[in-house]
Amino acid sequence: MVDSEALLSALNTHIISPRITYLEEVHSTNLMAKDMVRDGGGEGIVVIADRQVGGRGRHGRRWYSPSGGLYLSIVLKPPLGDSSSPFLGIMLANAALRALEESSMIKAHLKWPNDLLVNERKIGGILGELVVSEGGDALAILGIGINTSFNDSDLPEALRISATTIAKESKIVPTQEDLASQIINNIDQQLREVRERQALDFILKEYRKNCTTLGRAVLVELPAGTLNGIAVDIDNNGMLVVENGDGQHLVSAGDVIHLR
Ligand code: BTN
């Protein structure tokens, strides 16, 4: 259960004006937020649910969403024009890492593009989708799922080995309100900085520092096949740079497997 009053009072935002919709069960918070945008809503919509029955993951996969996880979607406007929309996912990833550290003293890392890992096990994931509002503005629906405290038996067997939860990694398990408010506050803080500096480079700097993919041998699964090499950089647009005997390859989307 989320106490919407407690969540609202823990929020400290200057750019985003959050409007919270909380439900015990929903198909997908991302889909619900998308419907709300289609119905005329805009930046600041936040949808939180205790569980999802149709949770969506990247590449059309399912996101298992039993009770004991945080399922949150937020609608945001790209801060420096439409081309800055990919940076919103990066800001959410930075915000989630900060929130895990602040709330539970967990040091999580990022697997490119947006997997939240603790000791190579997945504790959360992010799904960003773009929509156009009634007024013609590009808006991003940013969804995050964090495994808070459910049991292994709540997940299909195939996922149990690769997933972890806050409760497994820390003695301090935050309330949904704490975790959600810290994520939203940390996004807002980055948006404020972007507005002040009119720049995005510091967002990527924080992301790179926490990205465990960098320097690793990787296998990238692309629609056209696989790519093997070393992940040497994340470029200024957030793309992964993979180097192998054929030179450097820019990857804009794909599934990365860390080989060592
Ligand atoms: C991934 O595949 O790693 C991304 C998972 C994103 C899951 C979150 S949970 C809240 C929001 N609603 C959804 O249906 N998906 C995202």
Side-chain angles (χ1 to χ4, degrees), residues 35-244:
D35 285 345
M36 290 167 88
V37 169
R38 291 214 175 103
D39 290 345
E43 185 172 47
I45 289 171
V46 174
V47 183
I48 302 179
D50 284 342
R51 53 186 185 275
Q52 300 182 116
V53 289
R56 289 144 55 97
R58 291 177 60 238
H59 301 301
R61 283 188 292 252
R62 182 168 172 195
W63 183 259
Y64 288 90
S65 313
S67 298
L70 176 73
Y71 311 107
L72 179 152
S73 298
I74 182 164
V75 177
L76 294 171
K77 214 167 82 187
L80 296 180
D82 291 359
S83 64
S84 64
S85 62
F87 284 82
L88 288 169
I90 299 175
M91 282 184 218
L92 175 54
N94 290 343
L97 253 53
R98 292 186 197 175
L100 284 169
E101 194 151 13
E102 286 162 12
S103 68
S104 322
M105 289 171 38
I106 288 177
K107 180 66 205 155
H109 288 94
L110 298 162
K111 178 162 80 97
W112 186 92
N114 273 331
D115 283 355
L116 314 179
L117 301 186
V118 179
N119 298 323
E120 292 297 309
R121 291 188 167 186
K122 192 154 166 170
I123 201 162
I126 289 172
L127 177 68
E129 305 181 73
L130 276 182
V131 283
V132 178
S133 74
E134 267 190 345
D137 292 330
L139 289 171
I141 316 275
L142 293 162
I144 181 162
I146 295 192
N147 308 338
T148 314
S149 58
F150 51 68
N151 295 317
D152 276 357
S153 56
D154 294 321
L155 289 180
E157 217 164 329
L159 294 180
R160 291 179 195 165
I161 191 93
S162 58
T164 190
T165 62
I166 295 180
K168 275 194 191 168
E169 303 295 337
S170 170
K171 290 200 176 74
I172 319 162
V173 180
T175 62
Q176 303 283 66
E177 296 84 8
D178 277 349
L179 200 53
S181 60
Q182 286 178 15
I183 291 172
I184 296 169
N185 289 343
N186 275 307
I187 297 178
D188 191 82
Q189 208 255 323
Q190 293 172 84
L191 285 171
R192 241 181 296 163
E193 232 173 303
V194 169
R195 191 172 278 187
E196 274 162 28
R197 299 188 190 190
Q198 289 293 300
L200 294 156
D201 52 336
F202 69 98
I203 304 283
L204 270 172
K205 201 169 162 199
E206 179 171 342
Y207 179 96
R208 285 190 190 102
K209 196 177 77 193
N210 294 312
C211 181
T212 176
T213 305
L214 286 179
R216 307 274 288 257
V218 291
L219 177 83
V220 190
E221 289 170 345
L222 300 163
T226 57
L227 172 67
N228 257 291
I230 307 288
V232 289
D233 199 6
I234 287 150
D235 80 357
N236 290 338
N237 298 311
M239 291 203 216
L240 185 68
V241 185
V242 176
E243 194 171 280
N244 61 18

